[in-house]
Amino acid sequence: MKWTLILSLILISISDVYAFHPDIYQPRVPKEILEDTQDIDNPFEEIPGALEKGKKIYFGKGLCVTCHSNNGKGVRLPGHSPRDFTDEKWQDIRSDGELMWVLKNGSPGTGMPVRVGKVITEEEGWQVILFIRQFNAK
Ligand code: HEC
């Protein structure tokens, strides 16, 4: 009896570890502010050197690489694994404003922590978003 219970608990936790979020394309931003958030452009788009700075933050003080990995595909995390940044459909659907919202608020219910205001500034957030967009470039 006891062993069956333990075994099923183990199986449940294993399946949890390998679960991707079922609705990966669902907006993370609350409905009431989604449209306004999507309208925000990245002010660093045209600024020389910004992409290079974003790369340094991704691999450095932002600690993004620990969860999102070198190639942007992400490491497996318990419960909810990070977004695959090389997924073209995901890249298309998400606006820069939405990514900034996630950097400022984290992604509730997942391991994505608040970054902007805690470990990086808003400027650095926009720069690292430029770098995340590069994972889509072929
Ligand atoms: C402790 C692990 C962890 C760290 C560190 C981390 N992330 Fe994440 N990140 C996640 C997880 C898990 C998700 C998936 C959240 C979701 O699907 O809503 C995610 C999702 C995201 C998303 C996409 C959300 C969406 O709209 O689908 C962006 C953008 C992002 N992270 C950027 C970053 C950046 C930039 C950094 C570094 C400054 C960073 N993350 C650091 C775990 C992490």
Side-chain angles (χ1 to χ4, degrees):
M1 257 321 257
K2 211 169 152 202
W3 282 108
T4 339
L5 183 67
I6 292 172
L7 190 66
S8 51
L9 282 178
I10 292 172
L11 284 177
I12 289 168
S13 49
I14 289 176
S15 60
D16 236 25
V17 170
Y18 292 106
F20 273 94
H21 201 275
D23 54 358
I24 60 168
Y25 302 124
Q26 280 300 306
R28 300 312 189 224
V29 177
K31 255 202 197 114
E32 317 81 76
I33 55 164
L34 182 57
E35 247 178 71
D36 289 344
T37 308
Q38 283 172 334
D39 283 345
I40 304 168
D41 290 328
N42 191 335
F44 283 81
E45 198 96 55
E46 308 285 330
I47 302 202
L51 174 66
E52 207 41 50
K53 284 184 186 152
K55 184 177 178 180
K56 281 203 184 111
I57 291 155
Y58 185 92
F59 290 103
K61 71 174 178 177
L63 297 176
C64 321
V65 68
T66 48
C67 296
H68 291 283
S69 76
N70 285 330
N71 62 10
K73 285 181 174 291
V75 300
R76 300 267 184 189
L77 290 179
H80 186 142
S81 291
R83 192 61 48 243
D84 177 357
F85 291 149
T86 68
D87 178 345
E88 278 180 51
K89 185 171 173 198
W90 176 83
Q91 286 273 1
D92 261 9
I93 288 173
R94 284 290 191 276
S95 67
D96 285 351
E98 288 180 85
L99 300 188
M100 176 52 85
W101 185 91
V102 170
L103 289 182
K104 283 181 173 168
N105 297 280
S107 185
T110 80
M112 174 63 199
V114 174
R115 302 280 83 188
V116 165
K118 277 213 167 149
V119 289
I120 59 174
T121 64
E122 183 157 349
E123 279 194 0
E124 291 169 332
W126 288 120
Q127 292 163 350
V128 80
I129 287 171
L130 289 182
F131 181 67
I132 287 175
R133 293 298 189 196
Q134 289 302 293
F135 287 119
N136 195 27
K138 275 164 253 134

